Structure formats: structure tokens, C-alpha cells
Amino acid sequence: MPSTRSNTIKRKTRLQEDVHFWVMKRLQETSDISQRELARELGVSLGSVNYCLQALMEKGWVKMQNFSKSKNKLGYVYLLTPTGLAEKSALTRRFLKRKQEEHEALREEIEALKKDADQ
């Protein structure tokens, strides 16, 4: 049986990967979204979004450019790089697989609860 520490690390890794997935998904849809808007939409702190974007830029998956036509003088656009697009596809596959496994486990739990309720 894996240790509690190991489970905690795996959970944190999955959570971080999920945040990376959702940030990259939103940036692909709307590159000029602010960090504040992104944080609000994803239900995470502004600091978490900033930390995530910095990590994605360090990995070369996202690049930031000044958006000169922005009404906000400090406006930026966040663009997924070709490597970032490939990684987002891989993240999407892993995310989908995990969600399908969660769905199946939940379906089985519901069926078991229905049987218990009928007895």
C-alpha cells in the first residue's frame, strides 16, 4: 500500500496538472485574458495563476507578449507555443482518461448504493 506521503504527492501533481490544463485551455480560447479573470474563472488564487503561467513560460509552453492595442496599458497576451500546443494535447488525453476512470468508479458506486437502498 502506498504511503500517505506518496498519495499526497500524487494528488498535488494531479492538481497542478489540472491547473496547467485549464490555464492552457483558456489561453488557447482567449489569449488576452487577464490573470485576474483567469483566476476567477478557474476558482484559484491570482498567485496560483501567476505561478502557473511562470512555470508554463519556463517550460517553453507559453509565451507572453505585450498587447499594444489593449485598452489596459499593461495588457498582455499569452500564446501557446507549438510545444505548448503538443503538451496541451497530451494533458487533454490524460485529463480525459482520468475523468473517464472517475466517472466509471462513480457509476459503480451509484449502482452499489442503489442495490443497498433496495434491500
Side-chain angles (χ1 to χ4, degrees), residues 17-116:
E17 189 172 269
D18 286 356
V19 171
H20 285 186
F21 167 74
W22 287 111
V23 166
M24 292 173 76
K25 183 177 186 319
R26 281 301 285 130
L27 292 179
Q28 189 174 19
E29 296 167 354
T30 311
S31 61
D32 64 342
I33 190 169
S34 73
Q35 289 186 24
R36 192 170 307 281
E37 290 172 299
L38 199 50
R40 187 173 47 252
E41 286 183 16
L42 300 179
V44 297
S45 71
L46 179 58
S48 292
V49 168
N50 185 275
Y51 180 81
C52 177
L53 286 170
Q54 292 299 321
L56 294 173
M57 286 188 281
E58 284 178 20
K59 291 178 181 189
W61 299 350
V62 171
K63 64 181 177 178
M64 179 177 65
Q65 292 181 338
N66 224 348
F67 188 47
S68 60
K69 294 184 181 182
S70 173
K71 293 174 190 154
N72 175 1
K73 297 280 186 209
L74 299 176
Y76 295 99
V77 291
Y78 299 94
L79 305 170
L80 270 62
T81 64
T83 305
L85 288 169
E87 183 58 29
K88 184 193 161 284
S89 291
L91 283 170
T92 301
R93 285 189 296 276
R94 289 192 301 270
F95 185 81
L96 178 60
K97 181 177 186 258
R98 194 167 62 252
K99 292 302 177 182
Q100 287 173 324
E101 290 168 355
E102 290 172 11
H103 178 266
E104 182 59 26
L106 187 56
R107 191 190 62 71
E108 290 172 5
E109 184 178 353
I110 289 169
E111 287 303 315
L113 288 171
K114 284 179 181 178
K115 286 179 184 176
D116 284 350

